Amino acid sequence: MLDPKDPEKLKQLGGPDQICKSLLVDPKVGLRQREQVDAHGNRQDEPFQTRREVFGKNILPEAQAVTFWQLLVAAYNDRTLIMLTIASVVSLAVGIYDDVLGSHKDDDVKVGWVEGAAISLAVLVVCFTNAINDYQKEKQFQKLNAKKEDRTVKALRDGNEVEIGVQEINVGDILLIEPGDIIPVDGIYLSGHKMTCDESSATGESDAIKKGTLDEERDPFILSGAKVLEGVGSMVVVAVGTRSFYGKIMMAMRQGQSSETPLQRKLDVLAEQIAKYGMSAATLLLITLTIKYLVQCALAPEFPPASIMFSHFVSIIIEAITVVVVAVPEGLPMAVTIALAYATTKMLRDGNLVRQLSACETMGGATVVCTDKTGTLTQNRMTVVRGFVAGRELKDLSEVQSFYKSLPEDTRELLLEGIAVNSTAFEGPDEQGHIEFIGSKSECALLGFGKTCGQDYRSLRADNTPVRVYPFSSEKKTMTTVIPIPGQDCRYRVHAKGASEIILRACTKYIDEDGKIRDLDQTAYNDFLRYISIFANRALRTFALAFKVIDEGEEQACSDDDAPLSDLVWVGVMGIQDPLRPGVRQAVTDCHRAGVIVRMITGDNIETARAIARDSGILTKGGQAITGPQWRKMSPEEQHAILPRLQVMARSSPMDKQIMVERLQERNEVVAMTGDGTNDSPALKLADVGFSMGIAGTEVAKEASDIILMDDDFKSIVKALRWGRAVNDSVRKFLQFQLTVNITAVFLTFISSVFSADGQSALTAVQLLWVNMIMDTLAALALATEGPTDEVLDRPPQQRNSALITFEMWRMIIGQAVFQVVINMLLLNHGLEIFHLPRSDEGLAVLRTMVFNAFVFLQVFNQINCRRIQPHEFNVFANLHNDTGFLLVQLFIVSAQWLIVTFGGIAFSTVSLTAEQWAGTLFIGVLSLPVGLFLRTLPDFSACFGLESAESSAQQHLPEVSTTRMRMESSIRDVQRAVKFFSAIRHSQQSKQNTKPIDIESNFLDEHLQSFQLPRAQRASTLPSGYTTVVPTAAASTSSSWTKVRTAVGNANGKRS
């Protein structure tokens, strides 16, 4: 009956009266407390227990809480982690065997178990980090919604008006409704006076809906979530809790599931590829060392015993497993988790509550932001910003008090009296408990103007009780109030306000600069019209105020339906606007600088939408603005054709938002969408990143969104964009570092093991484990916790299908890996001579320790190299002093390395080094920095290897039609119009002189316009097959002067014909 609204069904049920009888309630009495006693006279356990057992309670069941154990299992359900677990079990088993029965059974310190245990520890760290972060995220969201419905409503119980909590409402309750109430349940209208509801958050209907009975041919259905704008009334509750309109939507939203993000898909593929290469290298090493050992055994004078051979084979297997451990990127999921967890924590301070962790990195690749106007770009607070009263003009919001003081005293009193008395708005607490004006937003703006002037509207209303009130109606567009004049018996003052043109036509007099009343002549009339036009052209909502004095006879002759709108005295006109939030224009500029297109989708009219979009920088020269009905009438092909230049959509519906998201995603765009109403939830779900409003948003919208804007501010979206790009950069930095260490460690282990006489690797298994920790856990902490810089907005967004590793990254990875392998092999083969070490066991022990030390320092300084991965970023020390996490990690690595080298002994196969030897290995590590600088200066020859450069069209998403191009096209067309204009003037002059007209080619710039096309390869948006981009033949000009030009050209053409 209510979803959808079905008046016929209501009639079949007998109407509201029969429904009340069926629910055992008297509309004039309400529910009776005696229902708390059952048929046997026993008091029920809770009030209205039987009624609630039948119809339910007005509470939504708590969403099934995900336990920490479930989150932990979900975090472990990863192929990389499972593979690492298998590797750790094998390594642990082999290590324990080697310690107990193998080659290390006689060692004093048993360290064979360390590798497997450390791998298991790394897996546990990843799982617990993921689970803890998800658990905290859920707690944060529950805390946001913990403001349980503790508000009260008025109801009838036993004939008395009482206040009850919304959870105490039952089906059959009679609720008393007042302006400002948010309806918590579904109901049927019973009685009232001029009750109007805003159901836009529930149904998407932008117009206020008048409530009434079926006999009055009005809407009798009152939906949960609707807001009462004006009027009073009563309703009978017919649905509560999960059976209500609001409850059904909330329960449906709990079934949503998030999808994988582009970065997650790329990382899964990359991790799998790295693991395959690692397994291949380990298998090759195992086969090579096995064949080498068998050949050595065969060539030996005496074949070794089986126990020694088995122990040696176990050592070979350990080395192979070590290669797998080093090669498998167990730090990759940890780096992503740390980067996202760090970012979401910081984003909360910036006003962004991230509900879906993956939305943070997805936002970094956003190419389009579709934003609301009201409350997001603007302050959602209608304000008087311009005015013209008694010959004085209010030019700015900051001049209100000085403007008011400049008015004649009598005019000031009339102005404030008209604002205060002729209004239904009032001041009271909003949903958050803040004291705000409640009612019509325009009336709230006028009352706010009066409050700024220092006047209390309550005292004016108390001193002037209306005798007649003609409420505002959309048909008449005016509101009129008649009040008695204090101290003047039988005289009344009529205050009128409303649409400026209508009020002005009803005026015959006006108040001049001196506060005197004069006849309204044509000059004054035109002057007032001019100000009305000026305000309207700036997208201000204009309200005129007027008055007149009548006697008792005229008051008694007034009609009850038609207000006395004649012979009024003009007081002035006010321009009302929802002002932009501070910093919005800069935020939009930042989006454009970052290559992100901002589109405004609003339910406001096209003129207001254009003005706000122009003021905020969204609507640029050459951009287009259309209305929702125009958009819906277009075919998909036509919608795709206009999309590159579409910047504003006015009078839009929720379905328009959905279609917009679908069309943009068909063009391979990553779409961020804002919404605050229940009806916006499908579009928020469909978008790649859905932003809901923390203040103005409904709970349904919050449930459907990925990120909640705690302050409802557009600037917070830009902050989310910065953090998203920082997350993507952090993951790429870590990838570059880890792949460098992976390749170096695997190749160094393989080469040194194969070519050494005893088959030993340059680094022992335990040393490799420490290196593995550096390149995984510690590197993730160091490289994934750098905050965003201003430079992240100086480049276009990445393509949805862009390569995870660019040519510049591969250049650094391969270059550093080759350098490190060469330098370590050089130390292994010639280190004794270079450092003047003796050819003895002690000398070899020192050399191996120095190789290990140099390898670690190479990684330390290569981490500094990896702080910057974009082309032309040569200063790797930029902002290093603010990167506290990075510095602390490096300090920990160096300190731990000193402890390992100095006291590691048998466990790490190290000996103490002298100060000169420390300095030598440190110098070798520092060499990584100049090598990195040299690699950055190499030319871009990515095409030779089939790789993608970071600045290539395959990596960067370039808008199909940039704002620069739109401005250029618009400028060219402006010049064309100018040429046509002067051609028409010349032709007109020549016609007057009866001379042969000179034909001027006015379209000579068409060739330039047609040639001004971006190369197809540089277009980032990809149309579906069958769609083509159509360049509009006439771009809209934002210059009002061209209206006169077109008129002149049209007149000239008329004369020519």
Side-chain angles (χ1 to χ4, degrees):
M1 181 172 66
L2 288 99
D3 185 18
K5 296 177 181 179
D6 189 352
E8 293 300 322
K9 184 70 172 177
L10 179 59
K11 292 179 181 178
Q12 291 174 12
L13 294 174
D17 292 338
Q18 185 59 42
I19 288 178
C20 289
K21 289 180 181 179
S22 301
L23 293 175
L24 304 178
V25 61
D26 185 341
K28 297 181 180 180
V29 178
L31 294 182
R32 298 184 182 275
Q33 297 295 330
R34 66 167 179 259
E35 281 194 31
Q36 299 186 34
V37 180
D38 61 20
H40 303 288
N42 299 319
R43 190 174 182 85
Q44 298 177 351
D45 294 336
E46 64 177 51
F48 307 101
Q49 182 174 347
T50 304
R51 187 176 290 270
R52 290 179 179 178
E53 288 174 355
V54 176
F55 298 108
K57 298 180 181 180
N58 190 36
I59 56 175
L60 296 179
E62 291 187 8
Q64 185 175 3
V66 181
T67 64
F68 182 78
W69 172 252
Q70 289 174 318
L71 292 173
L72 192 62
V73 172
Y76 180 72
N77 191 19
D78 180 88
R79 281 179 297 179
T80 304
L81 297 180
I82 293 173
M83 187 166 56
L84 277 170
T85 304
I86 296 172
S88 68
V89 171
V90 174
S91 176
L92 191 62
V94 172
I96 293 175
Y97 170 82
D98 195 43
D99 283 343
V100 176
L101 301 173
S103 58
H104 295 287
K105 62 181 179 180
D106 298 325
D107 292 348
D108 295 332
V109 180
K110 309 293 185 181
V111 294
W113 59 272
V114 173
E115 293 180 46
I119 299 172
S120 301
L121 180 62
V123 171
L124 287 175
V125 168
V126 172
C127 291
F128 273 92
T129 304
N130 273 316
I132 291 171
N133 187 73
D134 288 341
Y135 189 74
Q136 289 178 340
K137 176 195 67 177
E138 290 298 325
K139 288 295 182 184
Q140 284 175 345
F141 185 62
Q142 290 173 10
K143 194 178 293 184
L144 176 73
N145 292 332
K147 37 177 183 169
K148 291 201 173 191
E149 298 280 347
D150 53 359
R151 56 193 175 97
T152 59
V153 293
K154 290 182 180 180
L156 280 179
R157 293 277 176 90
D158 288 324
N160 299 318
E161 184 178 311
V162 297
E163 284 193 349
I164 59 174
V166 291
Q167 297 94 347
E168 301 302 318
I169 300 175
N170 302 291
V171 170
D173 259 319
I174 305 299
L175 297 188
L176 305 178
I177 305 168
E178 298 176 346
D181 286 349
I182 296 178
I183 309 299
V185 290
D186 294 343
I188 304 296
Y189 178 89
L190 295 176
S191 63
H193 178 68
K194 296 182 178 179
M195 183 173 154
T196 305
C197 290
D198 176 9
E199 295 182 351
S200 59
S201 66
T203 65
E205 177 61 48
S206 57
D207 294 332
I209 300 175
K210 295 180 179 179
K211 299 298 180 180
T213 62
L214 288 176
D215 295 336
E216 297 171 343
E217 295 184 352
R218 291 188 174 178
D219 182 9
F221 303 104
I222 302 176
L223 300 180
S224 50
K227 184 173 183 177
V228 181
L229 299 179
E230 58 182 343
V232 294
S234 62
M235 61 174 268
V236 57
V237 178
V238 296
V240 297
T242 56
R243 295 181 173 91
S244 66
F245 184 87
Y246 171 79
K248 289 177 182 177
I249 297 178
M250 281 297 292
M251 297 304 293
M253 295 311 301
R254 292 182 180 179
Q255 300 172 3
Q257 294 181 347
S258 58
S259 58
E260 261 193 339
T261 64
L263 180 60
Q264 288 173 324
R265 288 193 291 268
K266 293 174 187 176
L267 290 176
D268 286 343
V269 173
L270 181 64
E272 192 171 336
Q273 290 175 342
I274 294 174
K276 287 179 180 177
Y277 291 137
M279 290 296 294
S280 300
T283 303
L284 182 61
L285 179 64
L286 179 64
I287 295 173
T288 304
L289 291 182
T290 301
I291 294 174
K292 177 184 176 182
Y293 181 65
L294 290 176
V295 171
Q296 288 177 339
C297 291
L299 297 177
E302 191 175 298
F303 209 77
S307 59
I308 295 178
M309 290 184 64
F310 179 77
S311 177
H312 197 89
F313 282 136
V314 169
S315 299
I316 293 174
I317 293 173
I318 289 176
E319 284 196 43
I321 290 177
T322 304
V323 170
V324 174
V325 171
V326 173
V328 173
E330 66 264 34
L332 193 55
M334 177 179 288
V336 177
T337 300
I338 290 175
L340 289 174
Y342 179 77
T344 52
T345 302
K346 294 293 184 180
M347 286 172 68
L348 190 59
R349 300 179 185 176
D350 289 340
N352 291 286
L353 172 58
V354 181
R355 294 195 61 244
Q356 301 294 335
L357 201 61
S358 57
C360 179
E361 58 92 358
T362 305
M363 188 60 198
T367 60
V368 175
V369 174
C370 298
T371 177
D372 286 334
K373 176 185 74 68
T374 305
T376 307
L377 296 173
T378 62
Q379 299 177 21
N380 195 21
R381 182 176 298 171
M382 297 297 285
T383 308
V384 175
V385 295
R386 299 292 297 270
F388 186 72
V389 179
R392 295 163 177 81
E393 183 180 0
L394 171 64
K395 295 183 178 180
D396 189 77
L397 182 62
S398 60
E399 302 174 358
V400 169
Q401 290 187 346
S402 59
F403 165 77
Y404 172 72
K405 292 177 181 177
S406 69
L407 297 175
E409 185 175 354
D410 291 343
T411 306
R412 282 185 291 188
E413 292 177 359
L414 276 171
L415 178 65
L416 292 183
E417 185 180 86
I419 289 174
V421 174
N422 192 25
S423 173
T424 59
F426 60 95
E427 198 172 27
D430 60 8
E431 294 89 340
Q432 284 75 37
H434 304 137
I435 301 300
E436 299 282 352
F437 286 110
I438 300 172
S440 166
K441 292 183 179 180
S442 300
E443 291 186 345
C444 291
L446 291 173
L447 287 180
F449 171 82
K451 187 175 183 178
T452 305
C453 295
Q455 183 63 52
D456 183 9
Y457 76 97
R458 296 183 185 87
S459 61
L460 285 173
R461 288 185 182 178
D463 296 338
N464 299 278
T465 304
V467 295
R468 290 181 183 270
V469 176
Y470 300 88
F472 183 88
S473 67
S474 57
E475 294 82 12
K476 298 178 181 178
K477 299 187 182 301
T478 62
M479 178 177 179
T480 307
T481 302
V482 182
I483 61 172
I485 300 177
Q488 298 185 27
D489 294 337
C490 304
R491 289 177 65 82
Y492 300 86
R493 185 175 290 124
V494 179
H495 283 289
K497 73 175 179 190
S500 304
E501 296 84 356
I502 296 175
I503 295 294
L504 184 58
R505 284 197 297 268
C507 291
T508 57
K509 294 179 172 29
Y510 74 98
I511 298 178
D512 68 0
E513 294 86 346
D514 300 323
K516 297 179 180 179
I517 298 176
R518 297 185 180 277
D519 290 334
L520 183 64
D521 55 17
Q522 192 62 40
T523 302
Y525 186 89
N526 292 338
D527 202 26
F528 297 146
L529 271 182
R530 183 171 63 87
Y531 276 99
I532 293 171
S533 178
I534 290 172
F535 294 167
N537 287 337
R538 296 185 179 179
L540 303 183
R541 186 178 297 177
T542 60
F543 267 77
L545 296 100
F547 81 100
K548 72 174 180 178
V549 177
I550 60 177
D551 56 27
E552 187 175 14
E554 290 174 300
E555 190 275 327
Q556 292 178 353
C558 289
S559 168
D560 292 335
D561 298 322
D562 297 324
L565 295 178
S566 62
D567 298 325
L568 298 178
V569 180
W570 176 270
V571 177
V573 60
M574 295 293 182
I576 301 173
Q577 186 185 54
D578 188 2
L580 287 174
R581 285 181 177 270
V584 163
R585 175 174 281 274
Q586 181 59 47
V588 173
T589 301
D590 289 340
C591 284
H592 289 163
R593 178 162 62 97
V596 178
I597 301 300
V598 182
R599 291 181 168 90
M600 188 174 79
I601 305 177
T602 177
D604 229 324
N605 64 71
I606 187 71
E607 290 80 11
T608 303
R610 277 201 186 103
I612 295 296
R614 202 173 287 129
D615 290 345
S616 61
I618 293 175
L619 183 60
T620 59
K621 192 173 183 180
Q624 292 190 347
I626 64 172
T627 63
Q630 291 173 323
W631 171 257
R632 290 192 291 274
K633 290 178 182 178
M634 294 180 180
S635 66
E637 292 81 3
E638 291 172 329
Q639 290 173 343
H640 274 288
I642 197 176
L643 261 181
R645 291 172 174 78
L646 181 60
Q647 295 176 332
V648 176
M649 183 187 292
R651 292 298 185 203
S652 64
S653 69
M655 184 55 65
D656 294 329
K657 288 187 175 183
Q658 281 185 260
I659 297 173
M660 173 71 78
V661 173
E662 290 173 356
R663 295 293 174 264
L664 289 170
Q665 289 176 337
E666 286 171 0
R667 302 174 72 86
N668 208 29
E669 305 272 4
V670 178
V671 185
M673 171 69 72
T674 68
D676 54 5
T678 301
N679 55 314
D680 290 329
S681 56
L684 293 175
K685 273 286 186 184
L686 185 62
D688 296 283
V689 182
F691 286 90
S692 65
M693 306 300 148
I695 299 173
T698 63
E699 297 305 312
V700 178
K702 294 175 186 176
E703 192 75 25
S705 64
D706 303 301
I707 299 176
I708 298 175
L709 299 179
M710 305 296 286
D711 51 7
D712 291 9
D713 198 341
F714 183 81
K715 290 184 294 184
S716 298
I717 298 177
V718 180
K719 293 175 182 177
L721 176 66
R722 289 161 55 93
W723 275 107
R725 292 194 175 186
V727 167
N728 281 293
D729 284 354
S730 296
V731 173
R732 288 171 183 258
K733 292 173 187 177
F734 174 77
L735 266 180
Q736 178 175 303
F737 174 75
Q738 187 179 54
L739 289 181
T740 302
V741 185
N742 272 358
I743 294 173
T744 304
V746 170
F747 272 89
L748 185 61
T749 301
F750 186 89
I751 295 173
S752 59
S753 298
V754 171
F755 290 99
S756 67
D758 55 0
Q760 282 190 350
S761 168
L763 301 175
T764 66
V766 179
Q767 289 174 352
L768 278 175
L769 184 65
W770 167 237
V771 170
N772 194 53
M773 185 176 293
I774 293 175
M775 77 179 189
D776 288 334
T777 308
L778 298 177
L781 287 170
L783 297 172
T785 55
E786 184 179 4
T789 60
D790 293 335
E791 288 73 21
V792 298
L793 298 180
D794 290 333
R795 61 178 188 265
Q798 294 172 344
Q799 288 275 32
R800 188 189 290 268
N801 56 351
S802 61
L804 194 57
I805 306 176
T806 63
F807 163 75
E808 289 79 9
M809 293 172 64
W810 277 122
R811 182 176 62 188
M812 185 64 67
I813 290 168
I814 296 174
Q816 285 284 353
V818 170
F819 164 71
Q820 292 186 21
V821 170
V822 169
I823 200 76
N824 278 286
M825 291 305 298
L826 183 66
L827 287 176
L828 278 174
N829 292 297
H830 303 285
L832 294 175
E833 293 82 1
I834 294 174
F835 293 106
H836 306 289
L837 297 174
R839 290 187 175 275
S840 62
D841 292 341
E842 291 78 8
L844 288 174
V846 171
L847 178 61
R848 286 190 171 275
T849 302
M850 293 185 68
V851 169
F852 170 51
N853 213 33
F855 187 90
V856 170
F857 277 123
L858 284 169
Q859 311 320 314
V860 169
F861 288 99
N862 192 37
Q863 282 189 54
I864 299 177
N865 271 325
C866 294
R867 292 187 69 248
R868 294 292 177 265
I869 58 173
Q870 296 297 324
H872 316 303
E873 287 185 340
F874 295 101
N875 185 10
V876 295
F877 297 100
N879 203 40
L880 182 61
H881 60 287
N882 291 326
D883 199 351
T884 308
F886 182 89
L887 294 175
L888 290 176
V889 169
Q890 305 314 311
L891 179 63
F892 173 79
I893 291 174
V894 173
S895 301
Q897 181 67 14
W898 180 81
L899 292 173
I900 289 172
V901 168
T902 306
F903 305 105
I906 297 175
F908 285 89
S909 304
T910 58
V911 295
S912 297
L913 300 179
T914 63
E916 292 79 8
Q917 291 166 346
W918 273 98
T921 53
L922 179 63
F923 174 76
I924 293 172
V926 172
L927 291 178
S928 179
L929 293 176
V931 170
L933 180 62
F934 168 74
L935 293 173
R936 282 183 170 84
T937 59
L938 292 178
D940 181 3
F941 42 84
S942 55
C944 301
F945 299 97
L947 299 174
E948 298 174 0
S949 172
E951 295 181 344
S952 66
S953 59
Q955 283 289 114
Q956 293 184 341
H957 185 288
L958 303 176
E960 189 168 349
V961 181
S962 65
T963 54
T964 304
R965 177 182 172 184
M966 284 189 281
R967 291 191 187 99
M968 180 68 74
E969 289 178 350
S970 182
S971 299
I972 291 175
R973 296 197 184 281
D974 286 348
V975 176
Q976 284 183 308
R977 295 188 187 97
V979 172
K980 290 180 181 179
F981 173 71
F982 290 117
S983 175
I985 292 176
R986 179 170 297 186
H987 174 76
S988 176
Q989 291 175 343
Q990 290 172 344
S991 298
K992 290 180 180 179
Q993 299 171 2
N994 293 324
T995 58
K996 183 179 180 180
I998 299 175
D999 186 18
I1000 296 182
E1001 178 57 59
S1002 61
N1003 293 323
F1004 74 99
L1005 289 173
D1006 278 340
E1007 297 179 3
H1008 296 79
L1009 182 62
Q1010 294 298 327
S1011 63
F1012 189 72
Q1013 304 287 335
L1014 283 176
R1016 178 69 63 179
Q1018 294 184 15
R1019 295 185 181 181
S1021 299
T1022 305
L1023 287 173
S1025 59
Y1027 292 145
T1028 56
T1029 300
V1030 180
V1031 179
T1033 56
S1037 173
T1038 58
S1039 176
S1040 61
S1041 61
W1042 286 114
T1043 304
K1044 301 177 181 178
V1045 173
R1046 287 195 293 270
T1047 304
V1049 173
N1051 294 336
N1053 290 336
K1055 292 179 180 180
R1056 169 185 266 181
S1057 60

